[in-house]
Amino acid sequence: MIVRRALSDLQSIQRTNPEFKLAVNIPIDLLLDVTFRTWLLDLVGRSDITPYSFGVELTEDAKMSDSDAVSTVFAEMKALGIVVLMDDFSMGHTSITLLQKNYFDYIKIDGSLIRDLKNERSRSIVESVIRLGHELGFAVISECVETKEQHDMLLSMGCFEY
């Protein structure tokens, strides 16, 4: 499975670069499954990785509105030092509501907005998301940074991770 491979690779890389971080996409359905979640938490717990260097990226999903079950999932992951990232922020229908819950450590701005940073509206949206993320205490990551111009624009807006 991809998670086992990712953790193995992360362990290897961290032997020479202890600051290296890695995240994998996992559907919320899997995380809500107790058997899978137990397996994941056990695997991470037995891994020799730097705390908070392994993350789980979740794409927004209506199932995340079940706050009791989802709160349990995120509390268990955070207790083990697993970083939680909201992937493709701004592309789903639950983004703002989920930010109220404080489930995430990072919000990750969808690449479609970054690819179009020359567009004033896209730039304004990205800048607003970065500001909102910081005001709520989240780190903000940007996808699809492919040019120096995008890099420089994001830096000037306060987004320092890609």
Side-chain angles (χ1 to χ4, degrees), residues 16-77:
T16 56
N17 182 358
E19 301 299 314
F20 191 84
K21 297 177 182 179
L22 181 85
V24 296
N25 286 73
I26 298 179
I28 190 65
D29 289 340
L30 271 179
L31 291 175
L32 290 169
D33 179 275
V34 174
T35 303
F36 175 83
R37 191 168 69 249
T38 301
W39 173 83
L40 174 69
L41 295 172
D42 181 60
L43 187 65
V44 171
R46 289 185 287 115
S47 297
D48 185 27
I49 59 173
T50 305
Y52 305 101
S53 65
F54 177 73
V56 172
E57 294 185 14
L58 296 162
T59 301
E60 302 166 61
D61 188 305
K63 292 176 189 90
M64 287 188 197
S65 61
D66 179 359
S67 61
D68 289 340
V70 173
S71 290
T72 298
V73 168
F74 292 140
E76 289 175 356
M77 289 194 305

Side-chain angles (χ1 to χ4, degrees), residues 112-130:
S112 63
L113 291 170
I114 302 307
R115 284 187 200 99
D116 200 22
L117 271 180
K118 289 181 182 179
N119 175 298
E120 185 178 327
R121 293 179 77 81
S122 291
R123 194 170 47 254
S124 180
I125 292 168
V126 168
E127 193 166 20
S128 296
V129 168
I130 293 168

Side-chain angles (χ1 to χ4, degrees), residues 122-162:
S122 291
R123 194 170 47 254
S124 180
I125 292 168
V126 168
E127 193 166 20
S128 296
V129 168
I130 293 168
R131 190 172 41 256
L132 175 64
H134 289 167
E135 286 176 9
L136 294 174
F138 298 107
V140 180
I141 294 179
S142 180
E143 293 183 327
C144 301
V145 179
E146 299 169 349
T147 68
K148 181 171 178 7
E149 183 180 21
Q150 290 168 330
H151 174 267
D152 292 348
M153 285 176 148
L154 288 164
L155 283 177
S156 73
M157 293 178 203
C159 183
F160 307 110
E161 299 189 54
Y162 315 108

